[in-house]
Amino acid sequence: MDVKILHIDSNHPMLWDQLQHSGFINHSDFTSSKEEIEAKIQEYQGIVIRSRFKIDKTFLDKATNLQFIARVGAGLESIDCEYALSKNITLIAAPEGNRNAVAEHTLGMILSLFNKLNQADSEIRLGHWNRESNRGYELDGKTVGIIGYGNMGKSFAKKLRGFDVKVLCYDIQENVGDSNAKQVSLAEFQQKVDVVSLHIPWTAQTDKIVDSNFINEFAKSFWIINTSRGKNIVTDHLVAAMQSGKILGAGLDVLEYEKLSFETLFQDKNTPEAFQYLLKAKNVILTPHIAGWTLESHERLAQVIVDKIKAKYFGQAKIAESEQRVTGIGGFFFKSNNPKELVAWYGKYLGLKTDQYGSTFWWKDNDGSNCSTQWSPFAEDTAYFRPSEKQFMQNFRVENLDKLLDKLSDEGVTIIGDVESNAYGKFGWILDIEGNKIELWEPIDKAFQ
């Protein structure tokens, strides 16, 4: 099947190369006007864009053979999605591609605001050595609130694991919270948070969502970070809140004044008064819509788009057998009135080869490799099973603990504590839906031998 794809924005070359290698026919046009593209779009089954112009009803009516639109980015606000879907056109975006970049940028903005890094740097360059006026705040102990708990919000929450903070999230979708962020109502959110981070698309529901009414509902003064879309905040109201002290500082990667292409700032040559305030304010950090704009995300975005286009035409690749989540039973741990006596009894009467931990059973996997399973009694007052109320705890062998925990976290599974490593391997803990603690073990079997 000949599928012709028109690329109207430049992207990482791997996108072009991999599509071509897979049999797609690539054409590019980075300079023609929207009208000129419309005149030939009927020749193409696919289009790859970033944000050059709006894909509206007029454009879609002329794209009589279009099968998909792929946007190399997170959002689809430049596309008339409803009309495109009515024409059976598949819409492809890549929020997975730059979520890590956005999360790191968000955290960087918060830390820079709290520690007045930009202010201190600029003063030093002017020859000023002001220590007291640059005394900062610590993130630990604060409550961070995330509005929009999708790809970007979840990725940011994961970055906060190393800080002693409470993380709350608010989302119009139900049951999206996980071990990294507790989902709460908007009312509770506005009562408790110290920092607000926006990770929402620009839609009719979110347009100008952060206005004076929204801001005044917060119980405490707070910092705000916006790496989502500029039009989600009313800048005049933001500035008024900063002047009153209701908002303590702002990190803005996006601005209300951006054109839809995100390539230029103002619709005209007039500089709004509110923006002039932001330019002069010391408690404001401004960046030019680059939160997801890293060298790594440039490549990752392209790869996600390629994979999704190929999946449309060739189907999803089967999960490799090596990616199975559990590779075997690692052990069975249970409580005993007297673990030492019990271990000795099993050694004496059942002939188990025992040690201080219990007994190790050896077996071979499908490849003939040696594997072990542990049988271990614990004292009744052990804290090792907590927070589970059960008298036992399961241990499962896994191949790649860190990768599995990341997947489980994204899927909303509760992670307990941090990964620990010792001579026997790496250990992590999760809770099942009944609150039972499960130990996951990436083993080093040779340590037992």
Side-chain angles (χ1 to χ4, degrees):
M1 178 174 61
D2 290 336
V3 176
K4 293 172 65 176
I5 302 174
L6 180 62
H7 300 248
I8 63 172
D9 285 299
S10 62
N11 288 293
H12 195 285
M14 67 179 293
L15 193 155
W16 181 287
D17 293 343
Q18 289 192 26
L19 289 175
Q20 180 174 285
H21 181 74
S22 298
F24 297 94
I25 301 169
N26 293 313
H27 291 172
S28 65
D29 188 337
F30 302 156
T31 59
S32 293
S33 67
K34 178 174 180 285
E35 291 73 22
E36 290 170 328
I37 298 293
E38 287 174 347
K40 62 180 180 179
I41 192 59
Q42 76 279 358
E43 302 173 17
Y44 296 92
Q45 287 74 46
I47 185 169
V48 176
I49 67 169
R50 286 205 321 266
S51 301
R52 188 162 145 214
F53 52 69
K54 186 171 178 60
I55 306 296
D56 54 17
K57 185 174 181 180
T58 300
F59 186 97
L60 293 168
D61 281 339
K62 295 181 182 296
T64 53
N65 293 305
L66 202 61
Q67 297 172 2
F68 73 85
I69 303 170
R71 177 167 184 266
V72 187
L76 294 168
E77 62 266 35
S78 62
I79 302 168
D80 188 333
C81 297
E82 184 176 351
Y83 194 61
L85 292 172
S86 74
K87 290 178 167 287
N88 295 317
I89 296 172
T90 300
L91 301 177
I92 297 172
E96 311 95 321
N98 61 358
R99 61 188 175 188
N100 183 72
V102 170
E104 290 190 4
H105 193 97
T106 303
L107 181 57
M109 279 188 149
I110 292 174
L111 294 176
S112 187
L113 279 173
F114 272 39
N115 293 283
K116 303 183 180 180
L117 299 184
N118 284 29
Q119 174 182 312
D121 177 77
S122 63
E123 290 178 1
I124 288 287
R125 293 173 190 276
L126 293 173
H128 305 303
W129 189 263
N130 302 322
R131 298 186 69 226
E132 187 56 39
S133 63
N134 285 302
R135 190 187 292 271
Y137 299 87
E138 294 181 13
L139 185 55
D140 275 20
K142 304 293 190 297
T143 298
V144 180
I146 300 171
I147 298 181
Y149 205 59
N151 276 286
M152 307 302 171
K154 288 180 184 291
S155 185
F156 173 50
K158 286 171 64 177
K159 300 298 178 191
L160 294 169
R161 285 178 181 172
F163 295 89
D164 186 13
V165 296
K166 292 182 179 178
V167 185
L168 304 179
C169 67
Y170 170 72
D171 196 288
I172 60 173
Q173 302 292 328
E174 296 181 355
N175 302 316
V176 297
D178 55 24
S179 62
N180 296 321
K182 178 185 177 183
Q183 186 171 8
V184 296
S185 67
L186 181 58
E188 182 176 349
F189 185 96
Q190 291 175 315
Q191 281 293 311
K192 295 182 176 180
V193 302
D194 301 293
V195 180
V196 175
S197 187
L198 301 182
H199 298 279
I200 48 179
W202 180 47
T203 67
Q205 288 177 290
T206 63
D207 183 50
K208 300 180 176 59
I209 186 174
V210 180
D211 59 9
S212 56
N213 292 329
F214 181 87
I215 293 168
N216 291 333
E217 288 297 320
F218 282 81
K220 298 185 281 187
S221 295
F222 61 96
W223 288 266
I224 189 166
I225 308 294
N226 189 12
T227 55
S228 61
R229 290 293 184 259
K231 290 180 172 58
N232 291 332
I233 293 181
V234 180
T235 312
D236 288 343
H237 296 187
L238 169 68
V239 168
M242 295 184 71
Q243 291 172 328
S244 72
K246 186 65 175 181
I247 290 182
L248 302 171
L252 306 174
D253 180 55
V254 291
L255 292 165
E256 183 181 1
Y257 319 111
E258 286 179 81
K259 286 187 176 180
L260 191 59
S261 68
F262 309 134
E263 299 297 329
T264 55
L265 183 57
F266 297 111
Q267 300 282 3
D268 53 46
K269 294 183 180 180
N270 297 321
T271 304
E273 185 177 342
F275 185 59
Q276 294 179 37
Y277 175 89
L278 295 177
L279 289 173
K280 297 174 184 177
K282 292 183 177 181
N283 57 341
V284 173
I285 296 177
L286 303 171
T287 53
H289 204 133
I290 56 168
W293 202 253
T294 63
L295 293 171
E296 291 84 357
S297 70
H298 186 42
E299 180 174 338
R300 200 176 295 121
L301 284 165
Q303 187 64 62
V304 170
I305 293 296
V306 169
D307 292 343
K308 290 185 176 181
I309 293 174
K310 289 167 65 176
K312 173 178 172 59
Y313 291 97
F314 308 134
Q316 297 284 355
K318 292 183 179 179
I319 298 176
E321 190 172 329
S322 62
E323 293 179 358
Q324 61 182 328
R325 297 195 170 192
V326 172
T327 62
I329 295 293
F332 187 73
F333 308 148
F334 58 95
K335 294 183 180 181
S336 163
N337 291 327
N338 193 322
K340 289 184 179 179
E341 282 189 6
L342 192 68
V343 167
W345 187 94
Y346 275 83
K348 179 178 180 180
Y349 293 103
L350 296 183
L352 298 188
K353 183 180 179 181
T354 59
D355 56 29
Q356 60 178 322
Y357 301 111
S359 184
T360 303
F361 295 88
W362 286 95
W363 48 280
K364 292 185 181 291
D365 62 16
N366 291 335
D367 298 323
S369 300
N370 288 330
C371 299
S372 62
T373 301
Q374 192 72 20
W375 173 87
S376 298
F378 284 77
E380 285 285 356
D381 60 353
T382 181
Y384 196 54
F385 298 176
R386 292 177 187 166
S388 173
E389 296 298 326
K390 288 289 190 292
Q391 298 297 304
F392 61 87
M393 184 173 71
Q394 302 168 82
N395 172 292
F396 289 105
R397 304 167 63 91
V398 301
E399 186 173 76
N400 187 322
L401 179 62
D402 292 328
K403 183 178 179 180
L404 177 56
L405 288 177
D406 282 342
K407 287 182 178 180
L408 293 175
S409 175
D410 288 342
E411 294 164 4
V413 174
T414 299
I415 313 296
I416 301 297
D418 298 320
V419 171
E420 296 182 8
S421 299
N422 62 34
Y424 304 118
K426 296 168 68 174
F427 297 84
W429 298 270
I430 62 174
L431 294 182
D432 67 17
I433 58 174
E434 295 185 352
N436 302 315
K437 188 176 180 182
I438 299 170
E439 185 172 69
L440 301 177
W441 174 38
E442 182 182 324
I444 303 174
D445 281 319
K446 63 182 180 182
F448 291 99
Q449 297 175 322

